[in-house]
Amino acid sequence: VISSTNPYQSDGSQASTGVNWLIGQNGINKSEYYQKLIPSRVLAIGHSAGGGGAVWASIKNSKITCLLLYAPVLDTAKPSDIAVPTFFISGALDKTVPPHLVKASYQEATKSNVWYGESANQSHIGFGSNKSIQYYTRAWLYSHLFKDSWTTRVCFYGPNWTFKNASDWNEK
C-alpha cells in the first residue's frame, strides 16, 4: 500500500508517481521492497474525489491494472477512458454522491470489465467498516490481484456468480 498525505490529488499525478516509485523499489537490492512486489498487478483505490484521482492515475499510468472506486466523483475524469477492470461501489443512503451518479459512471465505462454495486445500508462515509462491502471488496481484490481461480472469483465470474444474489445490496 502506498498513499499520499495530500488529500488534493484529483488529477492522479501523485498516485501515478507513487506507483512508479514503488515498482522501481522492487528492483533495487537495498530496498525493503526488493522482489516483494508483483509489478504486473497494481490496484488504485479511491473514495469520493479520490475516486477521480484513482481513475486519472490509471489513465496516466499503464502499470495500474485494476480500480476499486467507492462513491467516486468523476467530474474531470471520463469513465469512458477507464481501460482496466473496475468495481464501482455506491451507498443507497449517500446524499453526497448519490447512487444514480455512480451508476451512470459505471454505465459509461465500456472499455473493460466493470462491476457496479449499491450497498443498501451505506452512506458516503464508512465504506471500510461495512462488513458486506469488506467481503466483496476482498473478493474482488483477490480475484484481480492474486488471480484466485476459484474461491473468490466465483463472486464476479462464471454462470453462477454470487455477487448478483447478495442480499444486502440493492443493485448489482
Side-chain angles (χ1 to χ4, degrees):
V1 174
I2 188 166
S3 176
S4 171
T5 57
N6 180 350
Y8 305 104
Q9 54 175 320
S10 61
D11 72 351
S13 295
Q14 290 182 3
S16 180
T17 299
V19 165
N20 289 336
W21 178 83
L22 193 55
I23 289 174
Q25 293 296 302
N26 192 58
I28 298 173
N29 281 359
K30 296 183 183 200
S31 170
E32 65 183 294
Y33 302 109
Y34 179 65
Q35 295 186 344
K36 292 182 180 174
L37 307 174
I38 305 172
S40 62
R41 299 182 196 161
V42 178
L43 166 73
I45 299 175
H47 171 252
S48 197
V55 171
W56 270 118
S58 77
I59 292 167
K60 292 177 177 186
N61 193 328
S62 62
K63 294 174 185 153
I64 295 172
T65 59
C66 54
L67 290 168
L68 178 59
L69 306 174
Y70 300 109
V73 175
L74 304 182
D75 51 359
T76 61
K78 294 180 186 172
S80 59
D81 289 336
I82 294 172
V84 296
T86 303
F87 189 10
F88 289 83
I89 300 176
S90 68
L93 307 176
D94 192 339
K95 305 285 189 229
T96 305
V97 183
H100 73 276
L101 295 178
V102 179
K103 188 172 184 179
S105 293
Y106 152 78
Q107 290 170 329
E108 289 179 38
T110 58
K111 288 184 182 176
S112 186
N113 291 331
V114 293
W115 293 262
Y116 171 76
E118 178 187 311
S119 178
N121 301 309
Q122 184 61 51
S123 64
H124 191 66
I125 304 300
F127 282 89
S129 59
N130 180 311
K131 297 293 184 193
S132 183
I133 291 175
Q134 286 177 358
Y135 177 83
Y136 285 104
T137 292
R138 191 174 305 113
W140 194 85
L141 294 175
Y142 273 72
S143 296
H144 292 89
L145 291 181
F146 300 117
K147 305 295 186 199
D148 182 339
S149 62
W150 182 250
T151 310
T152 60
R153 199 155 178 83
V154 297
C155 286
F156 300 100
Y157 292 97
N160 299 313
W161 60 290
T162 60
F163 180 59
K164 68 180 174 186
N165 298 317
S167 62
D168 46 355
W169 293 70
N170 293 340
E171 291 194 46
K172 303 149 287 280

